Amino acid sequence: MPLPQKIRNVAIIAHIDHGKTTLLDSLLNQSKLFRDNQDMGERMMDSYDQEKERGITIFAKHTSLPFDDYKINIIDTPGHADFSGEVERILGMVNSVLLLVDAQEGPMPQTRFVLSKALQMGLRPIVVVNKVDRPHADPDRVLNETFDLFTELGATDEQLDFKFCYASGLTGFAKKHLEDASIDMRPLFELIVEAVPAPQGDPSHPFLMQALTISYDDFVGRQACGRILDGTVKKGQNLALTNVSGKPIFFSVTRIQSHLGLNKVELDEASAGDIVIISGMPDVTIGDTLSDAKEVVQLPPINIGEPTLSVEISVNNSPFVGKSGKNVTMNKIRDRLEKEKKANISLKIETDANDNDRITVSGRGELHLAVLIEAMRRESFEFSVSKPRVITQEIDGVKHEPIEKVYVEVPEVYSGQVIEELSRKKGEMQHLSTTEHGITKMEFLIPTRGLMGYRNDFLTVTRGLGILTSIFEGYAPWKGPLKGRLRGVMISGCAGKTNGFACFNLQERGTLFVKPGDEVYEGMIVGENSRDNDLIVNVTKAKQLTNVRASGSDENIILTPPLQMTLEQAINYIEDDELVEVTPSEIRLRKRVLNETDRKRKERGL
């Protein structure tokens, strides 16, 4: 059991794709926790399937590394703005942060967000200029830009006097000066031991800890993770859990766990300063206080940022229900969402008392919600998802909506189109500058609903050369109506199997979402119309056969490959009268009302 002065607690924060997880790989490799012939692969901490596929960190991960006679607890945090709720809580667990900055790109929008949170909490960050071995790296410029950012965010004199080093997570070296030899990660380990303050706390005081992250185990139930603020905890010890109500619930500790490398290790006891996972409490949530049963204490609750987007999840009632999924009833969907709510506190799940066939799920952004929907889909769930809606607030009797701060970098030739499109979506330009390399940098304030679904159009307009990132800025008065999708859709008028002849005749009318041989049903969206109106089509119509055969009478048809939408693209594409049908094998688009006659009646209010 290490003494508090021999423990260092630190989190790694950065903009998305600036190399947090890769740097942690190098630290893990140098800690000699694995065999020499053990193949651990890349991005070891990204253990979740979707993290490996998307190439991003979604959940904060804990690890512990030995260095000389010190124990260094490191937490890898998500870089995407949608998962900023994870970052906010983690900062309460550590005594400093490693702020990673790309040696070429410099500070980016999410760098600003996570750094401001760290500075507000009084932490003194250590700046790591990463990827210094890249061809176009300019570490001196990036270091100056980072200092300017510290100043802009109101850092104190002590915070401005930050320690820094240069590193390459991919190659596996760190150095305090650019002219030093590139050997290994030891200089970074030494900097952490030197610059990160030891955790406060006295092992002789009564036990005290606040739950900052929650996990769930099928055998022991909910588990609370946090830093022990005071005292010592032993297996079998009686503790008190105090939630927002202020009424303590007493329980016995069944398990104490810590981290070592990629594994959890069970402990008999742990003391002040260490980060541990405690099991045994009946129910626990973020911000609850765990204290000695003889001296009950309640710490101030933790404020978590409110969700900004919501979707409605309902039972799949299409003709293809149950073809590929096993869990199709509302009871199973509700149980799965309630289980998610236990571990993912930044999601909000509400059931409508008047409508048992629908559940509203609210989150921080499209990706936040899409990760949950994709996870359920992989667990053989089948359901329908509505178009996302922004969550508005009533402030002083005026309707307010969420606003995003958008940072855009595009080649100068495309800047005019981007400005025109964002202005049409009620965006207000805050800043514009063009570098000597012909890259235009812009900042906009734009309603969240104006940004929904725009990212794909942005990549098309900029030929994939643009960068667009956004961060929640706050609430502003409602900006008025926004134009929706510019084009209509092609809707199947009958059920059946598509064929090449019908697809060939329809592809000149727009873009198809289906290919020959796909099963369709009435009311299913099979493509995008080239005009602004919806079009009923027969995508199952076969060629009329005759008994006359002659060379050249049959054309050799050439079909354009169909557009295959990802889950996020599909959710952003649909309108209010449409749904995304999510199944383990397929993602389909459909109208809420499948029958054409019923849709027309509904439009006329009959």
Side-chain angles (χ1 to χ4, degrees):
M1 193 169 64
L3 296 169
Q5 56 266 33
K6 290 293 183 181
I7 296 174
R8 297 291 183 270
N9 298 321
V10 64
I12 303 183
I13 60 174
H15 183 79
I16 187 170
D17 204 30
H18 275 201
K20 298 182 299 298
T21 309
T22 309
L23 184 86
L24 198 45
D25 279 359
S26 294
L27 293 172
L28 281 162
N29 282 323
Q30 188 160 327
S31 63
K32 302 297 181 188
L33 293 170
F34 313 117
R35 298 189 316 271
D36 291 339
N37 65 343
Q38 194 170 353
D39 181 18
M40 299 306 299
E42 295 180 347
R43 303 202 322 272
M44 290 182 252
M45 295 296 285
D46 285 350
S47 53
Y48 189 51
D49 285 346
Q50 289 193 57
E51 291 179 320
K52 291 186 189 330
E53 291 163 20
R54 295 172 186 267
I56 61 172
T57 301
I58 294 172
F59 302 111
K61 309 286 193 322
H62 302 247
T63 187
S64 174
L65 306 176
F67 175 70
D68 293 343
D69 57 343
Y70 288 88
K71 179 181 183 181
I72 301 176
N73 291 315
I74 303 180
I75 305 174
D76 182 20
T77 63
H80 199 284
D82 282 17
F83 308 108
S84 53
E86 293 270 328
V87 183
E88 291 176 49
R89 298 196 306 274
I90 291 304
L91 295 179
M93 214 184 288
V94 297
N95 303 105
S96 184
V97 292
L98 297 181
L99 176 70
L100 256 69
V101 189
D102 190 299
Q104 182 181 344
E105 293 181 347
M108 296 287 278
Q110 187 69 3
T111 314
R112 171 187 293 268
F113 175 81
V114 292
L115 177 59
S116 66
K117 293 288 180 188
L119 295 176
Q120 285 168 22
M121 297 187 74
L123 300 176
R124 293 182 62 184
I126 299 168
V127 175
V128 180
V129 182
N130 195 27
K131 306 184 185 181
V132 292
D133 54 347
R134 291 177 72 175
H136 301 290
D138 189 353
D140 290 333
R141 170 185 60 82
V142 167
L143 203 56
N144 289 332
E145 288 178 359
T146 307
F147 183 84
D148 293 342
L149 181 60
F150 270 74
T151 309
E152 190 182 326
L153 294 174
T156 63
D157 292 343
E158 291 78 18
Q159 289 170 329
L160 282 171
D161 187 23
F162 56 80
K163 303 279 187 184
F164 64 90
C165 72
Y166 306 97
S168 170
L170 193 61
T171 312
F173 69 81
K175 47 189 176 181
K176 294 184 179 177
H177 306 97
L178 282 172
E179 59 273 13
D180 292 350
S182 306
I183 302 171
D184 57 18
M185 301 300 293
R186 188 172 181 86
L188 181 54
F189 276 115
E190 290 173 348
L191 190 60
I192 291 172
V193 170
E194 174 196 340
V196 177
Q200 300 295 312
D202 190 336
S204 63
H205 286 183
F207 175 76
L208 183 63
M209 181 181 118
Q210 190 163 28
L212 293 175
T213 61
I214 300 297
S215 55
Y216 187 82
D217 185 284
D218 289 333
F219 298 101
V220 294
R222 296 183 82 170
Q223 301 170 295
C225 181
R227 173 164 59 91
I228 300 176
L229 302 173
D230 267 320
T232 302
V233 62
K234 296 180 181 178
K235 198 172 176 181
Q237 184 175 337
N238 290 325
L239 297 180
L241 170 73
T242 312
N243 54 25
V244 286
S245 68
K247 186 179 179 183
I249 301 167
F250 298 97
F251 70 95
S252 177
V253 176
T254 57
R255 188 193 286 174
I256 305 166
Q257 289 173 300
S258 180
H259 294 85
L260 182 64
L262 303 180
N263 303 316
K264 289 181 181 177
V265 290
E266 199 160 333
L267 307 174
D268 290 326
E269 65 176 309
S271 69
D274 210 353
I275 294 175
V276 294
I277 304 163
I278 292 179
S279 310
M281 66 287 295
D283 199 12
V284 62
T285 190
I286 299 292
D288 288 358
T289 307
L290 278 67
S291 57
D292 193 291
K294 294 175 184 174
E295 291 198 34
V296 178
V297 178
Q298 184 176 13
L299 294 169
I302 294 170
N303 294 320
I304 297 167
E306 287 294 312
T308 56
L309 274 186
S310 69
V311 293
E312 286 179 353
I313 291 180
S314 53
V315 171
N316 181 19
N317 61 359
S318 86
F320 292 169
V321 60
K323 279 199 170 185
S324 62
K326 294 176 185 172
N327 304 313
V328 297
T329 63
M330 180 47 75
N331 282 341
K332 289 196 173 182
I333 294 169
R334 188 182 293 109
D335 289 346
R336 174 62 181 82
L337 290 172
E338 287 297 331
K339 183 181 176 183
E340 183 71 24
K341 190 177 179 181
K342 289 178 181 178
N344 194 342
I345 202 73
S346 50
L347 278 175
K348 196 173 179 183
I349 294 161
E350 299 168 296
T351 308
D352 189 344
N354 301 320
D355 190 350
N356 289 325
D357 293 334
R358 187 174 300 164
I359 295 175
T360 303
V361 181
S362 308
R364 283 288 186 94
E366 301 149 73
L367 183 61
H368 191 198
L369 295 169
V371 166
L372 167 65
I373 294 167
E374 179 65 29
M376 291 177 66
R377 178 187 170 211
R378 294 181 185 200
E379 293 166 22
S380 203
F381 280 85
E382 240 183 66
F383 49 91
S384 297
V385 181
S386 71
K387 180 181 177 65
R389 289 183 181 152
V390 296
I391 299 171
T392 58
Q393 289 188 359
E394 197 86 14
I395 301 173
D396 297 329
V398 179
K399 185 181 181 183
H400 282 59
E401 65 175 324
I403 300 290
E404 306 264 339
K405 192 156 194 175
V406 178
Y407 299 80
V408 178
E409 283 186 34
V410 291
E412 192 176 3
V413 66
Y414 303 122
S415 59
Q417 287 173 280
V418 173
I419 292 169
E420 182 184 345
E421 194 64 30
L422 289 177
S423 300
R424 192 174 68 82
K425 293 177 177 291
K426 311 281 187 185
E428 299 172 8
M429 185 183 285
Q430 304 291 301
H431 174 77
L432 184 144
S433 63
T434 304
T435 67
E436 65 271 19
H437 303 296
I439 300 295
T440 300
K441 296 184 177 183
M442 298 174 277
E443 291 179 20
F444 287 85
L445 288 177
I446 183 170
T448 300
R449 59 197 170 100
L451 204 57
M452 278 163 29
Y454 174 65
R455 284 181 169 84
N456 293 326
D457 296 339
F458 173 79
L459 288 174
T460 305
V461 165
T462 61
R463 308 293 188 271
L465 300 173
I467 298 171
L468 184 147
T469 50
S470 65
I471 286 181
F472 174 67
E473 177 75 7
Y475 281 83
W478 184 261
K479 301 285 183 183
L482 281 174
K483 285 185 180 178
R485 195 171 58 209
L486 297 176
R487 294 188 179 95
V489 291
M490 291 192 271
I491 307 161
S492 175
C494 59
K497 192 174 279 191
T498 61
N499 61 69
F501 176 75
C503 290
F504 178 70
N505 289 331
L506 285 171
Q507 67 182 11
E508 62 187 26
R509 308 291 295 269
T511 305
L512 286 175
F513 301 156
V514 293
K515 61 184 184 298
D518 285 352
E519 292 274 358
V520 297
Y521 53 82
E522 183 185 3
M524 180 173 156
I525 296 171
V526 295
E528 182 180 69
N529 192 7
S530 55
R531 298 185 179 181
D532 60 359
N533 62 303
D534 289 351
L535 187 67
I536 307 295
V537 298
N538 183 358
V539 79
T540 65
K541 183 180 180 182
K543 185 178 179 182
Q544 193 67 39
L545 299 178
T546 68
N547 60 358
V548 178
R549 287 289 176 269
S551 62
S553 64
D554 286 332
E555 292 179 343
N556 182 24
I557 64 171
I558 299 174
L559 291 175
T560 306
L563 175 63
Q564 300 281 345
M565 286 196 185
T566 64
L567 188 57
E568 291 102 298
Q569 288 171 335
I571 292 170
N572 283 320
Y573 181 79
I574 58 173
E575 291 292 344
D576 289 331
D577 65 335
E578 296 162 358
L579 296 171
V580 178
E581 181 186 345
V582 179
T583 74
S585 59
E586 299 285 340
I587 293 171
R588 304 184 187 94
L589 307 185
R590 51 163 285 190
K591 288 289 183 182
R592 277 184 187 269
V593 180
L594 297 177
N595 184 270
E596 184 190 359
T597 308
D598 293 342
R599 278 199 303 274
K600 287 181 177 176
R601 280 180 180 160
K602 193 170 183 181
E603 285 170 13
R604 293 198 297 265
L606 297 175

